């Protein structure tokens, strides 16, 4: 049984450091891409507070397609350049959106979501998808969340065999 046992009282940088370490041990020795993404979303959902959705959209056939996630059922396909996910993917830039209602073209999947952060997954010049995290609290994510989740994605990316998922 996996025990994350991350102290939620840690500062954000320490919390994300512990999360990335935890991710390393969770994925160690496992080569199944789907299982690893599923566990990577589970670990975030288990650890991050005030989050109602977290998971992956994968670049397949030129569009983002829903991947492993935790939360309410979500829209399946997002075109590059559309919504927060498609915009972050197209720009290959992390996006922190303090108020989703103020983001032109935001795609509402869970009406409870008020703020959102999206981190693109890029390696060796190829885009594989995005990590998307939503919160019911406005302004939930800041620069420390961005840098912590970017690190989480950097730890994750080389540990996932993206070709198994038809990504890129
Ligand atoms: N809000 C996202 C869509 C995905 S859901 O939040 C799960 C967007 O605007 O791209």
């Amino acid at each position: 049984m996996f025990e994350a046992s991350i102290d939620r009282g840690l500062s954000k940088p320490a919390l994300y450091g512990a999360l990335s370490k935890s991710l390393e041990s969770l994925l160690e020795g496992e080569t199944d891409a789907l299982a690893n993404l599923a566990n990577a979303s589970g670990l975030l959902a288990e650890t991050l507070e005030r989050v109602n959705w977290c998971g992956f959209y994968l670049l397949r056939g030129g569009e983002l397609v829903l991947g492993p996630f935790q939360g309410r059922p979500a829209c399946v396909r997002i075109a590059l350049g559309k919504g927060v996910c498609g915009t972050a993917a197209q720009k290959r830039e992390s996006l922190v959106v303090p108020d989703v209602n103020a983001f032109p073209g935001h795609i509402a999947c869970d009406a409870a979501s008020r703020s959102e952060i999206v981190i693109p997954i890029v390696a060796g010049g190829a885009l594989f998808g995005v990590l998307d995290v939503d919160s019911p609290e406005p302004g939930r994510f800041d620069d420390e969340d961005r840098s912590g989740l970017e690190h989480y994605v950097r730890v994750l990316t080389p540990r996932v065999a993206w070709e198994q998922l038809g990504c890129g």
Side-chain angles (χ1 to χ4, degrees), residues 92 121-128 157-158 162:
R92 297 186 178 203
I121 303 170
V122 178
L127 175 72
F128 296 118
T157 305
W162 299 97

Side-chain angles (χ1 to χ4, degrees), residues 53 57 74-75 78 82-86 105-109 116 132 134:
W53 199 96
Y57 278 89
C75 43
I78 299 176
K82 298 291 180 193
V84 186
C85 291
H106 167 256
I107 300 164
C109 291
E116 180 165 2
D132 180 20
D134 288 19

Side-chain angles (χ1 to χ4, degrees), residues 8 15-16 19 41-55 70-72 110 112-117 131-137 140-141 145 149:
R8 290 172 166 188
L15 178 79
Y16 282 111
L19 250 180
S41 69
L43 180 60
L44 286 179
E46 179 79 2
T47 311
L48 296 180
E49 295 183 299
R50 294 165 287 120
V51 158
N52 59 313
W53 199 96
C54 66
Q70 313 280 316
R72 289 201 156 158
D110 181 343
S113 296
R114 286 288 172 272
S115 61
E116 180 165 2
I117 182 166
L131 167 65
D132 180 20
V133 185
D134 288 19
S135 171
E137 181 183 293
R140 159 70 178 80
F141 305 105
D145 295 288
L149 289 171

Side-chain angles (χ1 to χ4, degrees), residues 1-6 22 26 43 46:
M1 186 173 74
F2 180 81
E3 293 284 356
S5 67
I6 296 175
S22 219
L26 188 56
L43 180 60
E46 179 79 2

